[in-house]
Amino acid sequence: MALDALLQGLSLSGVLTAVAISSLFLVFVRRRYGSSISDVPGPFIGSFSVLWLLWSILRGQLGQATIEAHRKYGKLVRIAYNEVSISDPDGIEQVLKSKMDKGDWYKITSLPDSRFINQMSETNARRHIEKQKNIASGYTLSNIIKSEPYIDNLLSLFRSRLDELAAAKQPVKFEQWFNYLAFDIVGEVTFSRQFGFLVQGRDIGNAIANQGFLTLYLSVVGYFQWVHNLLLANPLIEYFNLQPAMHVFDTCVAAIDARSKNDKVRKDMIEQWMGTRKKHPESMDQKEIFAAAVATIGAGADTISAVLQALFYYLLRSPKTFDLLREEIDNAQLSSIPSYEETQKLELLQACIKETYRFHTPVSLNLSRISPPGGVIVCGRHFEPGVLLSINPWAIHRLTSIFGADADSFNPLRWLGSSDSIRQMDRNMVAFGAGYNQCPGRNLAHLEVSKAAALMVRDYDIKQVNPGQEWKFMSHFAAIPHDWPCWVTPRKRS
Ligand code: HEM
């Protein structure tokens, strides 16, 4: 009787809501207690949802939250109902360096939409390796070095712009100027065409401002691919030219188009890829070249800006190291625009750069792989097929067992000399990832960072407008700092 009365009192929508809530509750209970990873410790909310991850991303604390979670729960942490984060050298060897497919999150990096699958968004390991083979020649150091004179022209222009800002007594926002430099360099190296950021001294097409939004968007919406198909991957958005990074895409299209009408072009990346396409048209189409160019441009600017900013931010907080570094660079009598070869001989400079890659790793994303059919053993534990296994570079780089008791401090001196402990640290550096999906742009990145850093240390005194003021940054896909304006004062140049 009482049940009848209750049912009569409930509307249809009430019944449906009750059924939906109970079903959701059952799904959560099943995920929490009935999963093959139920025994892996971690934040409670992560054991039945992706909310811990999303909350960490939205707060801009993904790197830091993952470090804390590992310090609290150990080397294996269940950070989402189907994802285990691993912070242990075995994770690098057994996950990143394996041939496991990548997690579905990566699919969102097909830009402008899923028709343009690039090396980053290709999650199948076998197909990824094939794609990577097609384009590897463009990224080799020997190919990048061919563009060094053009990179030097841009560094020279960069220096003139900093001199002008100093003469006009204007503070420098490094988040803009390092990004302008990196965008123009990656344009030159990819398709012999700079974007014009340094010449115009402004954020053309809001490419840099949009990048912040775009990386946050990708970090979150990558977990809900269907939402992406309705939003930015919706062909209408492209049709009406509403993509946030449209300026970059347009420039890529125009540069590749101009290329096909010009037979006197440099041996830049596109030229290398076109050569591969000519030889193997069956394994590479024109869309793949476009997708690779967009991925290269998209990945090759704010990461560089993050490293250069972090290098100077932390050097300003380590004045003794800064003085030693300047002494090393002044004594080296470098060329007006330091050459890549010269900078590789500067031991302390290289130690400072390596420490920056470690301490403020630009990519703070979880590098995720899917446990294969048959499962896999990682850190001595068996994982069932389909479980996501991820490595967060920030968490790995703060392991005191590898990097020492002062892993939470910026200390370039830890890299000086040669010892077993330095070799062990080197083996565990994952700033550029590891294995088949390792960053292909690492040669260009290191060349740019080495040259620009040596030039800046030798040619400028740098001071924060508000000395000691902390910068700001969000850590999700990437950790790109901003809001720490500096005065730069040119030093005497020979
Ligand atoms: C210091 C600067 C840089 C850092 C720290 C960095 C780091 C990374 C990391 C961690 C990944 C992802 C690895 C994974 O998912 O497992 C990646 C991918 C990628 N990076 Fe970089 N990168 C930098 C600069 C560059 C530059 C300058 C370029 C272009 C020339 C570039 C092009 C790419 C591309 C195309 C991918 C996708 C690769 C793939 O999935 O196969 N990166 N990078």
Side-chain angles (χ1 to χ4, degrees):
M1 286 295 281
L3 186 64
D4 277 355
L6 185 69
L7 285 178
Q8 275 168 15
L10 277 180
S11 64
L12 180 63
S13 65
V15 173
L16 289 179
T17 309
V19 171
I21 291 176
S22 325
S23 312
L24 203 61
F25 180 73
L26 286 177
V27 169
F28 285 173
V29 169
R30 188 165 178 278
R31 284 177 176 177
R32 171 70 188 90
Y33 298 103
S35 149
S36 66
I37 51 170
S38 291
D39 60 313
V40 179
F44 177 70
I45 195 173
S47 64
F48 58 86
S49 66
V50 289
L51 289 175
W52 183 86
L53 263 179
L54 291 186
W55 179 232
S56 305
I57 291 169
L58 287 169
R59 285 188 304 144
Q61 297 277 317
L62 181 60
Q64 302 89 323
T66 313
I67 295 170
E68 280 161 28
H70 280 289
R71 287 188 178 158
K72 184 166 175 192
Y73 298 107
K75 61 184 171 189
L76 300 180
V77 180
R78 187 183 191 188
I79 52 172
Y81 71 94
N82 193 31
E83 181 166 350
V84 173
S85 172
I86 299 160
S87 185
D88 188 85
D90 278 355
I92 301 173
E93 293 301 319
Q94 297 164 355
V95 176
L96 290 186
K97 293 190 183 168
S98 76
K99 298 278 189 297
M100 285 185 232
D101 289 348
K102 296 194 287 182
D104 280 350
W105 178 89
Y106 283 91
K107 289 183 181 161
I108 199 169
T109 60
S110 282
L111 291 171
D113 59 52
S114 56
R115 286 170 302 161
F116 297 89
I117 297 176
N118 58 50
Q119 64 271 49
M120 192 162 200
S121 60
E122 176 56 77
T123 54
N124 176 280
R126 189 184 46 78
R127 285 198 298 271
H128 182 288
I129 292 166
E130 274 165 23
K131 242 184 219 313
Q132 194 64 33
K133 262 193 225 150
N134 282 341
I135 53 178
S137 62
Y139 297 106
T140 56
L141 184 58
S142 54
N143 190 47
I144 301 293
I145 291 276
K146 289 181 196 145
S147 292
E148 192 170 4
Y150 304 91
I151 296 175
D152 286 357
N153 290 344
L154 289 168
L155 278 165
S156 180
L157 176 59
F158 173 71
R159 185 166 57 190
S160 310
R161 304 313 309 258
L162 290 192
D163 289 351
E164 284 163 24
L165 288 169
K169 304 226 171 331
Q170 278 185 30
V172 176
K173 291 183 176 170
F174 282 126
E175 66 267 32
Q176 292 178 343
W177 285 94
F178 284 144
N179 229 321
Y180 295 165
L181 173 70
F183 254 126
D184 278 349
I185 289 181
V186 76
E188 268 295 349
V189 175
T190 309
F191 35 58
S192 310
R193 182 162 162 165
Q194 52 179 278
F195 286 91
F197 285 96
L198 287 173
V199 168
Q200 297 193 29
R202 66 180 184 91
D203 183 4
I204 308 168
N206 281 331
I208 294 163
N210 285 337
Q211 194 93 354
F213 158 75
L214 195 63
T215 50
L216 177 59
Y217 170 89
L218 296 179
S219 310
V220 174
V221 183
Y223 288 94
F224 309 97
Q225 211 71 35
W226 59 272
V227 177
H228 180 53
N229 294 337
L230 293 177
L231 298 175
L232 291 190
N234 182 336
L236 285 178
I237 294 277
E238 201 192 334
Y239 181 78
F240 289 112
N241 215 8
L242 297 175
Q243 279 279 0
M246 214 58 212
H247 163 70
V248 173
F249 301 137
D250 288 346
T251 310
C252 287
V253 174
I256 294 172
D257 189 44
R259 166 61 49 106
S260 57
K261 295 167 194 141
N262 176 6
D263 50 7
K264 292 194 186 72
V265 285
R266 296 205 325 256
K267 264 266 177 233
D268 53 20
M269 276 192 200
I270 294 277
E271 193 56 16
Q272 289 284 355
W273 298 337
M274 294 222 170
T276 308
R277 180 164 142 64
K278 226 179 213 168
K279 274 193 230 148
H280 307 285
E282 71 295 344
S283 71
M284 193 179 193
D285 61 20
Q286 187 67 16
K287 216 159 48 176
E288 200 170 327
I289 294 183
F290 175 73
V294 172
T296 302
I297 302 295
D302 56 358
T303 42
I304 302 290
S305 161
V307 177
L308 285 169
Q309 287 193 68
L311 177 65
F312 287 100
Y313 182 83
Y314 287 112
L315 280 176
L316 290 181
R317 280 153 181 77
S318 323
K320 279 193 192 140
T321 310
F322 202 153
D323 289 347
L324 286 172
L325 178 60
R326 182 163 267 171
E327 198 180 314
E328 177 185 70
I329 289 178
D330 283 347
N331 287 340
Q333 306 275 318
L334 305 174
S335 314
S336 167
I337 302 295
S339 73
Y340 174 65
E341 200 185 343
E342 288 169 345
T343 59
Q344 297 316 290
K345 294 178 192 145
L346 303 173
E347 211 189 343
L348 184 54
L349 175 72
Q350 291 306 321
C352 290
I353 293 174
K354 210 178 254 187
E355 181 66 348
T356 310
Y357 290 152
R358 181 192 76 84
F359 195 65
H360 187 90
T361 312
V363 175
S364 46
L365 168 77
N366 288 343
L367 311 178
S368 61
R369 308 290 182 261
I370 306 176
S371 173
V376 64
I377 293 181
V378 177
C379 294
R381 186 197 193 282
H382 180 263
F383 288 96
E384 296 276 300
V387 173
L388 270 185
L389 301 169
S390 63
I391 307 284
N392 185 292
W394 276 52
I396 293 278
H397 290 167
R398 296 299 177 93
L399 284 173
T400 50
S401 54
I402 304 292
F403 297 97
D406 67 344
D408 282 339
S409 311
F410 178 82
N411 174 16
L413 306 185
R414 77 176 79 245
W415 294 101
L416 290 183
S418 81
S419 64
D420 284 346
S421 66
I422 293 179
R423 278 186 284 280
Q424 192 193 25
M425 292 194 293
D426 258 326
R427 277 197 301 277
N428 288 287
M429 284 290 283
V430 286
F432 293 101
Y436 75 86
N437 202 55
Q438 195 179 29
C439 171
R442 59 195 183 281
N443 292 322
L444 173 61
H446 193 63
L447 178 138
E448 273 180 77
V449 168
S450 299
K451 287 166 70 85
L455 178 143
M456 292 286 299
V457 171
R458 186 196 54 194
D459 291 348
Y460 295 97
D461 285 322
I462 302 167
K463 216 169 78 181
Q464 267 186 263
V465 171
N466 301 307
Q469 183 202 358
E470 286 196 17
W471 62 9
K472 294 186 187 140
F473 69 88
M474 299 268 284
S475 140
H476 34 74
F477 186 164
I480 316 299
H482 54 95
D483 277 350
W484 64 293
C486 291
W487 299 116
V488 297
T489 312
R491 293 174 78 216
K492 227 183 184 165
R493 288 174 205 151
S494 54

